[in-house]
Amino acid sequence: MVSYQPNELSTAKLHSYLLSAVAPRPIAFASTIDANGNPNLSPFSFFNVFSANPPILIFSPARRVRDNTTKHTLENTEVVNEVVINVVNYTIVQQMSLSSTEYPEDVNEFEKAGLTMLESDLVKPFRVAESPIQMECKVNEIIKLGNKGGAGNLIICEVLKIHLSKDVLEDNGSVNQEKLDLVARAGGSYYSRAKDGFFEIPKPLSTLGIGVDKLPESVRKSSVLSGNDLGILGNLAAFPSEDEIDNYLKTSEEFGNLSNADLSDDFIHKRVKKIIAQGNFQEALIMLLAKHKINNLNT
């Protein structure tokens, strides 16, 4: 064994060990609003349920290790003592990952991640319509565990109303765990799908994803591309240049011949879906934008 006392490690190293050791962890997809009513959405894996009577959930937006700043979620709950905790299943995991990007305060992560804001019944923050279980909560207490980078802030929430999709319920009203298909967080870039095990979502924190909201409308409303597909594309750091798109139009199998300009969006989107599955995300985005450019030329 290699053994350490916490004060023998940097906070970043200790943080890494703890996240790898205590895993997988459930994810609280927390929706809040600020004093001006601006929505915020962010995932947290320091999270669990701690009581059924009263129904209590606790999650912890920790102070950032690198610069000791606090997160918008914590700041919002200090002003508006309400939050919606949405669960994360596999169908929205890439969009959840995109929402964790540290966008400026005035950016709506619902829009960036391509998720739908659904009005709550009892609290001000919005629910995530795509989440199969959503819990409207009031914030009973916030316990600050320290004032240095890495210190947690326990947000103790009481569930006021729970919403469950009929798609994940059995006839007797119980939750079918396989249909729910929850995702949990582990160390590094690892996640765990409840019924399938570990997978990775690499995500550099030094970049801001372009966002699903910046993709062409025909892509955002595609009947072929899933939310996860859109989340992957939205997580790319930059759009390709016009030269890259033009070169693709001249050399690609689909667009090399201008007589193919009438190819349907669905046809291209099916090709793009395969390219995304192969991990060629930038190529997928170039193909979509090339098709979008042809659509504009033909209108």
Side-chain angles (χ1 to χ4, degrees):
M1 302 288 287
V2 178
S3 303
Y4 302 99
Q5 292 182 320
N7 60 8
E8 295 174 326
L9 298 169
S10 68
T11 302
K13 189 66 173 178
L14 179 58
H15 182 257
S16 174
Y17 282 151
L18 290 172
L19 295 190
S20 296
V22 184
R25 301 178 305 282
I27 299 170
F29 207 6
S31 168
T32 58
I33 61 169
D34 66 15
N36 297 317
N38 298 311
N40 180 269
L41 182 65
S42 187
F44 299 92
S45 67
F46 290 1
F47 164 64
N48 220 309
V49 56
F50 289 85
S51 172
N53 187 22
I56 299 294
L57 308 174
I58 301 177
F59 73 103
S60 177
R63 302 180 72 92
R64 295 182 180 91
V65 173
R66 67 180 182 277
D67 60 8
N68 195 25
T69 55
T70 57
K71 299 182 179 180
H72 298 146
T73 299
L74 174 62
E75 296 162 5
N76 289 351
T77 55
E78 288 176 327
V79 177
V80 180
N81 303 136
E82 297 175 341
V83 61
V84 177
I85 303 297
N86 306 275
V87 304
V88 178
N89 64 354
Y90 187 74
T91 61
I92 62 171
V93 65
Q94 293 285 353
Q95 291 166 284
M96 177 276 300
S97 174
L98 175 55
S99 76
S100 70
T101 300
E102 293 178 4
Y103 291 108
E105 189 173 4
D106 58 347
V107 171
N108 184 340
E109 289 85 2
F110 279 92
E111 294 177 355
K112 278 293 174 188
L115 294 166
T116 307
M117 293 191 299
L118 183 63
E119 285 193 9
S120 297
D121 293 341
L122 302 178
V123 299
K124 296 182 183 71
F126 294 92
R127 294 179 275 152
V128 175
E130 291 81 1
S131 171
I133 300 179
Q134 311 138 11
M135 292 168 281
E136 300 183 31
C137 306
K138 67 174 181 177
V139 175
N140 287 347
E141 187 178 2
I142 300 176
I143 301 175
K144 299 186 177 185
L145 302 180
N147 57 14
K148 296 181 180 180
N153 298 276
L154 304 186
I155 300 180
I156 301 174
C157 310
E158 182 174 345
V159 179
L160 302 179
K161 194 166 189 176
I162 184 169
H163 306 268
L164 304 102
S165 169
K166 293 179 180 178
D167 292 340
V168 301
L169 296 180
E170 300 284 15
D171 291 340
N172 63 4
S174 63
V175 174
N176 182 311
Q177 290 292 156
E178 292 206 7
K179 290 180 180 178
L180 186 57
D181 199 12
L182 288 178
V183 169
R185 193 72 171 90
S189 59
Y190 279 93
Y191 290 77
S192 179
R193 188 177 182 182
K195 62 183 184 181
D196 266 353
F198 286 113
F199 63 97
E200 286 188 272
I201 302 179
K203 186 177 183 304
L205 293 178
S206 59
T207 60
L208 297 179
I210 58 176
V212 173
D213 61 326
K214 298 301 183 183
L215 298 174
E217 183 178 13
S218 61
V219 176
R220 298 195 310 271
K221 296 184 176 180
S222 172
S223 61
V224 176
L225 299 173
S226 68
N228 276 340
D229 294 328
L230 297 178
I232 288 171
L233 295 172
N235 218 356
L236 293 173
F239 282 101
S241 67
E242 283 296 319
D243 287 344
E244 289 177 294
I245 295 172
D246 289 340
N247 183 61
Y248 193 83
L249 284 169
K250 293 175 184 176
T251 62
S252 73
E253 177 183 339
E254 280 76 17
F255 301 117
N257 187 335
L258 287 180
S259 65
N260 291 331
D262 61 348
L263 290 173
S264 71
D265 284 344
D266 280 1
F267 177 85
I268 296 301
H269 292 180
K270 288 175 183 177
R271 290 281 295 117
V272 165
K273 194 173 184 72
K274 290 180 181 179
I275 293 171
I276 291 174
Q278 294 165 357
N280 300 320
F281 307 144
Q282 193 68 23
E283 180 185 350
L285 182 57
I286 291 174
M287 180 179 284
L288 287 171
L289 295 179
K291 173 58 176 170
H292 180 64
K293 186 168 187 175
I294 286 179
N295 287 350
N296 287 341
L297 291 173
N298 290 339
T299 58

